[in-house]
């Protein structure tokens, strides 16, 4: 190893670090570490003066490596890497010691301890950095096409933004029509405009846009490749209708003799036929045959739809089609699923007939729904005289989901308004806290209070039909503690609406795995940074938008959809993208082909080369996570920037006795 | 090496004697060895005394093949003597390289081991509870036994070693290759392990697929598919992380590799490497499932560290009461 000349810079971060860690002492002490030629402290290393200091020193002291002891690398690693690069030093010859999050902030009450820890961390970085090697980023071309997965409002928004900019989008939707949950809703809060009225023009645009290929009733089965060059296999499930011939006239479903309860769009309250279009404004307009219920697929008879179709578009023998599309970027907008209130048996959903879910209520209240907008009890005729709306069902509850579902407060207020407007019933809201944080929401809350809705602060413990008094006979009784008056209450009503929370989709984990997007502990997809990078994932070229990232309302979903589109458009317009050189490489001369690593890679970057009997890492797919490096039992996978030598040196460095004068490895 | 015959020494420290047999397994090639070398020390085969070797000049032995782990003062003494007398000191076999079977004693300690061996084991009849003593008086005079260490060490932990020839025992063709290399002077850089730096999988002809292990079986529990990787079939096999050179003898006959050739170049802890490799392919999603699968692997520490516990990062089971071992003898202070 030729002569190493390390520069060390210890940051005060104002009082953030210097308030606890003796920064000057750490800098003085570090000057005696091996290979260190200059060690300084500075009020704010990230400020231009701090960065310029590094640049000047690299030139003046001919530094070969740089260590900055400051905050988390998430915060400023890029900043200092760039400073090194400006002075002609390869940015990967820089190492960061995190003495803020790892020392000053977590040991605020122990100044000596924090200072010693800071010294250990600097020592680790100094020992490690001399083993670091210059690395070069890899450039790859970006295909201009984009895949958007999920045709709810977030996905539609993303697709339209990108398509309007002139780039092609494949919009994949699992259901027969795009529109998602928003298409099922009656009104939207807080403006109370009709959900369908504002959504359907966008659905129509998405369905007819020259730059959008709409793949409805389709699912992504496999994703290969990397940013700029993904190959995606999509299964187009058979509609059993020839889309080129079908005009969507409706003769088939009018004449179809089989009635099926519609558990998807009508939430089980209405019915559809065995050949059906989910709702009148569906995009695309073509029906599908439900082969589970269609007589033809059971007995080979009927064929009524075929007989009445004026364009002979029915195709009983149609099969699923596999399509491969090549895209440069992917946006996941797979949305949410509603919490199933059956999981809270004491709320009686499914047992007490007049307990409804929020989605059932949306359909009841919707003019295009099964009751044509009449709010009635399960018997289909009786108007309720009193209605209870239970907030936070399955949300903010350690037993189910600890997160806040974000939309329920406002949706519950909307339900209160609709009930009062349409029935004149007395409305009780059972809430834990009211959260009305977005624009116009607090005003909406006041409006509903002024309209006469009652608000009871307390978590409902039980909904029962067991009456204690004559007034409770024949009613549903909500039992709770009213925490504002500090005593238990029983409130008898005719109808209960459960504001079930938003959950990650049941298959979010598998979908995430397929696309290289992880799920956090709540099960929603994890963004690269919760504040500063909310629509990117850890996989380059894979973005997330809408409620698949976390519970959110329509405006936020639309904003994220547009944000994801902007990120995609930015990558497309760059035409090329630099990939981090921190990645794994297999020494094929020493690989014995045991294949332990083969299914380790979360990014599918490892292939087994049968002919050579070795495994190989695709460098464009590798994210440098190190999983395979650790797994390899013969240690022939090298993780660039996290090599074995670097890690051992780092451990050696951290074992230096910082309390003694001598710098001996203990 | 000059035309003059070289001098060869062989020694066994804490070992089973298998390494000596392995040298004899050279068959007629042993004559080539005899032709190239004068054997100046080989207590297993010929009558040499320690005084004989102590009387040699420093560096007089050209090559010393040293097998066995270091577990007592006698082993250590001979390691120092032979280091001093030898130009090239080869750690021969798994015990001197990694500690091997004697090294498994590091999972326990001297007192517990003596208690079991001399008092508790069912085959022992020792009503007085007599334990080996360093010094004991007999009518003929005083008898001494070497001091027995509580921690087994490898040869390289006692003296500098020039080359390593792993295996339990090393295969004849490798011994031959090593001797040839020494005779012809075509040696790898000092400190090397003599042998290829790939794993047993490289020599194993079984088909390897992507692996998912749901259950471990013991060899007597299943009849494995003769063509498929044993590990995939739930039979523990250390071949994934063990240096090749043996010709994959064990896995080829349906017995998982035990790991006797030790780790590949650069690996600091053989057991940990095999453990991470195998843990990586457990077909489990929850800690409970992991436990359930690992419950089917009896004595995991013994499986993973069978041959290299003293050489590993762990070295031994932690000593209680904050005791530290002295660097040189491994005796408790």
């Amino acid at each position: 190893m030729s002569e190493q000349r390390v520069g060390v810079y210890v940051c005060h971060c104002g009082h953030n670090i210097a308030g606890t860690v003796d920064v000057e002492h750490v800098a003085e002490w570090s000057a005696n570490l091996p290979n260190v030629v200059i060690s300084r402290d500075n009020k704010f290393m990230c400020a231009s003066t701090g960065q310029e200091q590094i640049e000047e020193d690299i030139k003046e002291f001919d530094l070969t490596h740089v260590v900055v002891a400051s905050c988390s690398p998430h915060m400023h690693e890029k900043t200092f890497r760039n400073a090194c690069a400006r002075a002609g030093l390869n940015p990967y010859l820089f190492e960061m010691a995190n003495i803020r999050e790892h020392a000053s902030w977590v040991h605020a009450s122990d100044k000596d301890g924090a200072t010693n820890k800071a010294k250990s961390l600097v020592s680790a970085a100094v020992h490690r950095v001399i083993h670091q090697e210059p690395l070069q980023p890899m450039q790859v071309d970006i295909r201009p096409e984009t895949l958007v997965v999920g045709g709810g409002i977030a996905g539609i928004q993303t697709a339209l933004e990108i398509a309007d900019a002139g780039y092609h989008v494949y919009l994949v939707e699992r259901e027969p029509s795009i529109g998602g949950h928003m298409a099922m809703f009656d009104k939207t809060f807080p403006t109370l405009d009709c959900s369908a009225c504002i959504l359907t023009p966008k659905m129509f645009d998405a369905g007819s846009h020259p730059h959008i290929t709409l793949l409805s009733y389709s699912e992504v089965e496999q994703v290969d490749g990397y940013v700029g060059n993904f190959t995606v296999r999509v299964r187009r499930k058979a509609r059993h209708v020839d889309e080129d011939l079908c005009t969507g006239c409706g003769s088939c479903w009018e004449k179809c003799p089989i009635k099926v309860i519609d558990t998807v769009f009508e939430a089980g309250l209405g019915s559809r036929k065995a050949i059906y279009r989910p709702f009148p404004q569906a995009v695309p307009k073509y029906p599908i045959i439900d082969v589970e219920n269609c007589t033809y697929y059971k007995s080979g008879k009927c064929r009524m739809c075929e007989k009445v179709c004026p364009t002979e578009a029915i195709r009983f023998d149609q099969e699923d089609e596999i399509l491969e599309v090549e895209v440069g970027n992917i946006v996941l907008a797979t949305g949410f699923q509603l919490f199933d209130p059956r999981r809270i048996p004491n709320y009686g959903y499914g047992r007490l007939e007049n307990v409804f879910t929020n989605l059932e209520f949306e359909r009841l209240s919707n003019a295009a729904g099964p009751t044509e907008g009449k709010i009635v009890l399960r018997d289909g005729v009786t108007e309720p005289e009193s209605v209870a709306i239970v907030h936070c069902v399955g949300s903010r509850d350690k037993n189910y989901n600890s997160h806040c579902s974000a939309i329920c407060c406002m949706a519950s207020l909307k339900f209160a308004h609709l009930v009062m407007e349409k029935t004149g019933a007395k409305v009780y809201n059972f809430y834990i806290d009211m959260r009305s944080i977005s624009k116009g929401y607090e005003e909406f809350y006041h409006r509903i209070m002024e309209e006469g809705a009652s608000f009871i602060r307390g978590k409902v413990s039980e909904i029962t039909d067991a009456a204690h008094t004559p007034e409770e006979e024949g009613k549903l009784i909500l039992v709770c503690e009213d925490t504002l008056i500090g005593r238990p209450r029983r409130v008898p009503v005719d109808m209960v609406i459960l504001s079930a929370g938003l959950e990650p989709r049941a298959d979010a984990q598998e979908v995430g795995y397929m696309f290289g997007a992880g799920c956090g502990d709540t099960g929603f997809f994890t963004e690269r940074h919760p504040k500063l990078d909310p629509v990117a994932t850890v996989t380059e070229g894979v973005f997330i938008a809408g409620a698949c990232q976390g519970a959110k309302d329509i405006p936020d979903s639309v904003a994220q959809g547009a944000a994801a589109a902007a990120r995609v458009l930015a990558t497309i317009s760059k035409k090329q993208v630099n990939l981090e050189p921190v990645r794994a490489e297999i020494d094929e001369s020493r690989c014995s082909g045991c294949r332990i690593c083969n299914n380790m890679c979360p990014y599918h970057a490892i292939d087994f080369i049968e002919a050579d009997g070795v495994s190989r890492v695709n460098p464009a797919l590798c994210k440098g996570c190190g999983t395979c490096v650790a797994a390899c039992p013969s240690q022939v996978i090298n993780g660039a920037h996290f090599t074995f030598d670097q890690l051992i040196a780092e451990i050696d460095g951290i074992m230096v006795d910082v309390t003694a004068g001598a710098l001996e490895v203990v | 090496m000059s035309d003059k015959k070289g001098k060869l020494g062989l020694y066994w420290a804490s070992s089973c004697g298998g390494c000596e047999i392995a040298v004899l397994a050279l068959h007629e090639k042993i004559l080539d060895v005899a032709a190239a070398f004068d054997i100046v020390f080989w207590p297993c085969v010929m009558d040499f005394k320690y005084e004989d070797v102590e009387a040699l000049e420093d560096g007089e032995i050209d090559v010393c093949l040293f097998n066995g782990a270091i577990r007592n003062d006698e082993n250590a003494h001979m390691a120092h003597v032979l280091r001093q007398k030898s130009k090239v000191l080869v750690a021969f076999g798994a015990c001197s390289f990694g500690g091997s079977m004697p090294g498994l004693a590091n999972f326990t300690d001297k007192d517990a081991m003596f208690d079991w061996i001399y008092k508790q084991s069912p085959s022992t009849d020792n009503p007085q509870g007599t334990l080996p003593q360093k010094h004991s008086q007999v009518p003929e005079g005083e008898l001494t036994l070497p001091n027995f260490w509580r921690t087994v060490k490898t040869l390289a932990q006692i003296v500098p070693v020039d080359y390593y020839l792993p295996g339990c025992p090393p295969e004849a063709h490798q011994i031959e290759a090593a001797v040839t290399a020494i005779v012809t002077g075509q040696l790898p850089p000092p400190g090397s392990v003599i042998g290829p730096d790939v794993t047993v999988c490289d020599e194993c002809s079984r088909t390897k697929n992507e692996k998912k292990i749901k259950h471990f079986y013991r060899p007597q529990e299943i009849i494995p598919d003769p063509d498929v990787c044993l590990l995939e079939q739930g039979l523990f096999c250390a071949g994934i992380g063990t240096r090749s050179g043996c010709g994959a003898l064990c896995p080829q006959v349906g017995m998982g590799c035990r790991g006797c050739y030790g780790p590949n170049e650069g690996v600091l802890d053989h057991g940990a490497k095999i453990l991470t490799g195998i843990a990586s392919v457990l077909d489990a999603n929850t800690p409970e499932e992991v436990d359930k699968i690992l419950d089917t692997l009896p004595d995991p520490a013994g499986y993973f560290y069978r041959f290299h516990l003293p050489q590993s990062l762990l070295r031994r089971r932690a000593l209680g009461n904050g005791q530290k071992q002295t660097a040189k003898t491994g005796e408790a202070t």
Side-chain angles (χ1 to χ4, degrees):
Chain A
M1 207 178 276
S2 58
E3 199 201 354
Q4 310 290 1
R5 302 175 61 80
V6 180
V8 176
Y9 302 87
V10 187
C11 181
H12 292 239
C13 196
H15 288 295
N16 276 311
I17 296 171
T20 308
V21 170
D22 183 347
V23 173
E24 284 97 349
H25 171 70
V26 174
E28 276 167 37
W29 180 85
S30 303
N32 295 317
L33 285 169
N35 303 307
V36 173
V37 294
I38 177 75
S39 178
R40 302 180 189 274
D41 62 284
N42 187 302
K43 280 264 183 270
F44 288 103
M45 278 309 297
C46 60
S48 56
T49 47
Q51 295 186 51
E52 281 156 18
Q53 181 79 70
I54 296 177
E55 292 172 53
E56 285 162 21
D57 286 356
I58 289 174
K59 288 169 190 154
E60 188 184 338
F61 296 99
D62 198 15
L63 298 181
T64 57
H65 299 84
V66 170
V67 169
V68 175
S70 57
C71 51
S72 161
H74 275 298
M75 205 67 204
H76 278 305
E77 187 174 59
K78 238 180 197 158
T79 310
F80 300 124
R81 277 185 179 173
N82 289 341
C84 291
R86 283 196 298 274
L89 191 69
N90 184 288
Y92 292 90
L93 300 174
F94 158 78
E95 179 62 14
M96 202 154 174
N98 183 355
I99 61 166
R100 191 178 74 176
E101 282 86 339
H102 289 178
S104 67
W105 279 1
V106 284
H107 305 294
S109 56
D110 179 6
K111 292 191 175 191
D112 289 345
T115 301
N116 283 337
K117 189 169 176 187
K119 285 154 76 177
S120 292
L121 292 168
V122 173
S123 167
V126 167
H127 279 76
R128 178 196 212 279
V129 77
I130 57 161
H131 294 275
Q132 289 176 201
E133 290 156 5
L135 301 172
Q136 302 300 336
M138 195 169 80
Q139 283 205 325
V140 293
D141 290 338
I142 300 284
R143 288 190 71 96
E145 300 87 350
T146 303
L147 173 77
V148 176
V149 186
I153 182 59
I156 291 173
Q157 184 70 30
T158 311
L160 286 174
E161 299 270 2
I162 297 170
D164 284 346
Y167 297 104
H168 200 85
V169 175
Y170 297 95
L171 177 58
V172 176
E173 167 58 47
R174 182 183 277 178
E175 296 294 329
S177 170
I178 57 171
H181 282 100
M182 189 177 169
M184 304 172 187
F185 300 159
D186 179 23
K187 298 284 168 57
T188 59
F189 58 78
T191 49
L192 295 175
D193 39 7
C194 151
S195 187
C197 310
I198 56 174
L199 175 66
T200 46
K202 280 184 179 286
M203 288 168 61
F204 179 80
D205 286 352
S208 59
H209 203 292
H211 292 312
I212 295 179
T213 303
L214 177 56
L215 302 170
S216 61
Y217 204 44
S218 301
E219 288 192 59
V220 175
E221 289 198 328
Q222 195 182 326
V223 182
D224 288 309
Y226 45 89
V227 58
N229 299 275
F230 293 105
T231 305
V232 182
R233 198 168 74 196
V234 181
R235 176 178 292 271
R236 300 203 70 187
K237 293 176 279 189
R239 279 179 181 265
H240 302 289
V241 170
D242 187 333
E243 295 180 18
D244 292 337
L245 298 175
C246 175
T247 60
C249 71
S251 305
C252 53
W253 66 77
E254 276 162 27
K255 295 284 191 262
C256 174
I258 303 296
K259 247 188 175 183
V260 183
I261 301 284
D262 183 356
T263 54
V264 179
F265 193 78
E266 295 295 3
L269 293 180
S271 61
R272 57 165 171 82
K273 295 296 184 63
I275 183 165
Y276 71 104
R277 181 161 76 182
F279 52 102
Q281 306 95 324
V283 173
K285 62 192 172 187
Y286 319 113
I288 68 163
I289 296 180
D290 165 8
V291 296
E292 302 245 308
N293 292 297
C294 170
T295 311
Y296 172 78
Y297 291 96
K298 287 179 181 160
S299 64
K301 300 216 178 77
C302 184
R303 307 179 85 121
M304 180 57 85
C305 48
E306 193 180 46
K307 282 174 211 143
V308 299
C309 178
T311 57
E312 299 182 348
I314 302 297
R315 294 282 177 274
F316 289 117
D317 58 353
Q318 197 178 57
E319 287 184 352
D320 291 2
E321 197 186 326
I322 303 291
L323 205 71
E324 276 210 345
V325 297
E326 309 267 330
V327 297
N329 290 282
I330 296 172
V331 180
L332 297 178
T334 50
F336 64 93
Q337 69 183 29
L338 275 182
F339 173 80
D340 179 0
R342 285 183 187 83
R343 288 168 58 194
I344 311 182
N346 35 327
Y347 282 2
Y349 179 72
R351 177 166 52 85
L352 304 171
E353 65 170 355
N354 289 316
V355 177
F356 290 78
T357 67
N358 36 358
L359 194 57
E360 284 178 324
F361 181 80
E362 294 280 2
R363 296 312 300 157
L364 275 184
S365 182
N366 194 311
T371 60
E372 292 170 339
K374 283 200 273 301
I375 295 170
V376 287
L377 300 182
R378 200 74 72 172
D379 64 9
V381 289
T382 318
E383 230 177 49
E385 288 174 7
S386 52
V387 176
I389 302 166
V390 182
H391 297 219
C392 299
V393 175
S395 308
R396 306 182 66 202
D397 183 335
K398 271 196 268 185
N399 300 311
Y400 306 103
N401 293 308
S402 51
H403 66 261
C404 167
S405 288
I407 58 122
C408 324
C409 281
M410 289 300 119
S412 299
L413 293 176
K414 177 186 78 180
F415 299 157
H417 170 86
L418 292 170
V419 169
M420 291 187 292
E421 182 184 69
K422 293 190 175 184
T423 68
K426 177 74 190 149
V427 174
Y428 302 92
N429 276 278
F430 292 83
Y431 69 101
I432 312 177
D433 298 292
M434 282 305 294
R435 294 183 168 178
S436 50
I437 52 165
S438 290
K439 192 173 178 182
Y441 288 10
E442 185 68 13
E443 294 86 334
F444 186 59
Y445 176 27
H446 281 271
R447 172 180 167 184
I448 304 306
M449 283 197 286
E450 279 158 21
E451 285 176 3
S454 292
F455 289 83
I456 297 170
R457 186 173 183 277
K459 195 169 164 60
V460 173
S461 60
E462 188 187 9
I463 299 167
T464 177
D465 56 358
H468 284 187
T469 61
E471 300 85 70
E472 291 181 0
E473 281 306 334
K475 301 270 185 187
L476 294 170
I477 304 105
L478 289 92
V479 185
C480 84
E481 186 197 347
D482 185 330
T483 58
L484 294 182
I485 57 173
R487 61 183 175 87
R489 284 183 73 171
R490 292 173 61 88
V491 180
V493 295
D494 296 327
M495 180 187 210
V496 176
I497 306 166
L498 301 177
S499 280
L502 273 51
E503 284 186 330
R505 286 206 176 264
D507 59 356
Q509 199 94 36
E510 292 109 81
V511 171
Y513 183 74
M514 181 157 61
F515 289 96
C519 293
D521 43 6
T522 57
F524 291 108
F525 292 143
T526 310
E527 57 288 326
R528 186 177 289 176
H529 191 284
K531 283 156 244 173
L532 303 177
D533 214 351
V535 296
T537 67
V538 287
T539 300
E540 297 272 350
V542 175
F543 300 92
I544 46 178
C548 65
Q549 181 259 354
K552 58 177 62 62
D553 58 17
I554 294 168
D556 283 359
S557 296
V558 171
Q560 275 205 339
R567 294 295 302 273
V568 169
L569 291 170
T571 4
I572 295 173
S573 58
K574 273 197 284 190
K575 293 191 171 61
Q576 283 192 322
V577 68
N578 279 342
L579 297 184
E580 264 280 335
V582 177
R583 58 177 93 91
E585 191 182 2
I586 296 178
D587 178 350
E588 290 181 17
S589 71
R590 296 171 62 217
C591 172
S592 304
C594 71
R595 306 192 63 178
I596 288 282
C597 61
N598 285 191
N599 45 10
M600 286 294 97
C601 181
Y603 310 100
H604 316 293
I606 302 179
D607 292 315
F608 182 65
I609 312 300
E610 202 81 53
D612 303 331
V614 295
S615 297
R616 193 172 290 162
V617 176
N618 180 336
L621 284 178
C622 174
K623 309 298 291 176
C625 71
T627 307
C628 63
V629 179
C632 176
S634 52
Q635 203 166 299
V636 300
I637 311 184
N638 181 47
H641 211 55
F642 291 90
T643 65
F644 198 70
D645 287 350
Q646 288 164 12
L647 298 184
I648 294 295
E650 194 168 1
I651 294 169
D652 283 346
I654 216 154
M655 298 301 284
V656 163
D657 182 1
V658 296
T659 57
L663 295 176
E664 287 299 316
V665 174
V666 286
Chain B
M1 200 165 282
S2 68
D3 297 339
K4 209 171 96 238
K5 264 178 126 182
K7 286 184 180 167
L8 178 68
L10 296 96
Y11 183 68
W12 56 352
S14 181
S15 75
C16 68
C19 285
E20 323 285 332
I21 309 296
V23 176
L24 296 176
L26 287 172
H27 300 304
E28 72 281 2
K29 293 271 168 48
I30 194 93
L31 298 174
D32 297 347
V33 176
F37 292 100
D38 283 330
I39 295 171
V40 296
F41 188 56
W42 194 357
C44 172
V45 173
M46 288 178 261
D47 186 17
F48 291 101
K49 303 293 181 217
Y50 287 169
E51 296 78 49
D52 299 335
V53 69
E54 280 159 2
L56 294 173
E57 297 287 314
D58 286 0
E60 193 177 333
I61 302 175
D62 292 291
V63 182
C64 178
L65 305 181
F66 190 109
N67 75 73
I70 311 297
R71 76 147 355 128
N72 62 32
D73 285 352
E74 182 192 21
N75 301 154
H77 170 69
M78 286 312 293
H80 285 291
V81 169
L82 287 166
R83 172 69 278 181
Q84 201 179 341
K85 305 297 176 190
S86 309
K87 289 198 186 76
V88 174
L89 180 66
V90 179
F92 186 91
C95 292
S96 61
F97 179 26
S100 195
M101 298 300 140
L104 288 173
N106 289 358
F107 278 129
T108 174
D109 63 30
K110 177 181 162 181
D111 294 340
M113 205 161 33
F114 276 21
D115 185 59
W116 172 254
I117 293 168
Y118 295 106
K119 292 179 182 171
Q120 307 295 339
S121 73
S123 58
T124 300
D125 182 26
N126 181 7
Q128 272 113 42
T130 310
L131 291 178
Q133 301 297 314
K134 284 181 217 167
H135 306 279
S136 43
Q137 292 299 329
V138 290
E140 293 82 0
E142 190 188 64
L143 289 179
T144 58
L145 280 176
N147 183 31
F148 188 96
W149 295 1
R150 71 187 309 161
T151 298
V152 175
K153 302 266 180 169
T154 70
L155 180 60
Q157 287 165 354
I158 303 299
V159 293
V161 168
D162 298 305
Y163 296 102
Y164 302 87
L165 196 57
C168 180
E171 279 303 306
H173 70 272
Q174 286 201 297
I175 303 173
E176 191 193 324
V179 171
T180 309
I182 292 166
V183 172
T184 56
Q186 290 169 337
L187 280 162
S192 301
V193 175
I194 298 175
D197 187 21
V198 284
T199 69
V200 174
C201 295
D202 196 65
E203 295 185 314
C204 177
S205 60
R206 289 172 179 270
T207 309
K208 289 104 186 163
N209 303 294
E210 287 195 5
K211 297 178 191 354
K212 283 272 174 211
I213 301 175
K214 206 78 224 153
H215 191 286
F216 286 103
Y217 297 97
R218 307 200 67 184
Q220 72 272 21
E221 289 178 316
I222 56 165
I223 297 172
D225 182 316
D227 300 321
V228 177
C229 167
L230 293 171
L231 192 56
E232 286 161 33
Q233 302 183 61
L235 287 166
F236 178 88
C237 181
I240 51 169
T242 299
R243 190 183 282 267
S244 74
C246 59
L249 287 174
C250 300
Q252 301 285 36
V253 297
M255 186 61 66
C257 166
R258 265 43 194 148
C260 72
Y261 268 66
N264 284 69
E265 212 56 56
V267 174
L268 286 185
D269 193 308
H270 189 215
K273 259 306 175 197
I274 298 168
L275 171 64
T276 48
I278 286 181
S280 299
V281 292
L282 295 185
D283 192 6
N285 292 313
T286 64
E288 292 75 28
E289 281 175 40
V290 171
D291 285 346
K292 215 176 132 205
I293 298 172
L294 286 181
D295 282 347
T296 63
L297 184 72
D299 185 23
Y303 265 117
F304 294 120
Y305 285 99
R306 187 181 297 234
F307 288 94
H308 284 80
L309 179 62
Q311 191 222 25
S312 69
L313 287 172
L314 295 177
R315 300 283 163 102
R316 62 158 299 122
R317 196 181 74 177
L319 293 161
N321 310 324
Q323 296 176 75
K324 278 188 180 172
Q325 60 202 56
T326 58
K328 285 216 170 78
T329 66
E331 274 294 89
T333 47

